[in-house]
Amino acid sequence: MIAFELCNAPQAAAFRFLDALKRILPATTLGDVYSLALYPVMASHRAVPPAERARLGIGDGLLRLSIGIEDVADITADLAQALEAGER
């Protein structure tokens, strides 16, 4: 994530900036309150050839997690049971 501020800009300037965007879609949220798992090979890097992914350090076992607001014990338990299931 990156954050930046329009220098000395009032709210109207921020709205003008958002309205002027062509490719970037303004959104009300950048994620969710739920924990999320992403498999880059099938998501963010699906168009990248396997050799290039390997060069970038994106192996077939790489997963990305975005932790939400659930109880830490619940998240830990879920990860543990998923790791166990993966060993079977």
Side-chain angles (χ1 to χ4, degrees):
M1 300 282 184
I2 186 171
F4 64 95
E5 185 171 351
L6 300 173
C7 189
N8 299 317
Q11 188 178 56
F15 289 154
R16 283 194 301 275
F17 175 82
L18 291 170
D19 288 341
L21 293 173
K22 302 278 187 223
R23 295 204 157 233
I24 300 171
L25 302 175
T28 57
T29 183
L30 295 176
D32 209 322
V33 296
Y34 303 105
S35 294
L36 305 169
L38 175 82
Y39 186 51
V41 171
M42 297 297 293
S44 59
H45 289 78
R46 68 182 172 275
V48 178
E52 179 67 7
R53 283 197 313 265
R55 187 186 73 73
L56 295 169
I58 302 167
D60 287 344
L62 180 70
L63 295 165
R64 290 184 178 158
L65 296 174
S66 174
I67 303 303
I69 63 170
E70 301 93 350
D71 186 88
V72 173
D74 292 340
I75 294 168
T76 304
D78 193 30
L79 289 170
Q81 67 82 26
L83 287 170
E84 278 184 30
E87 293 177 353
R88 289 183 211 147

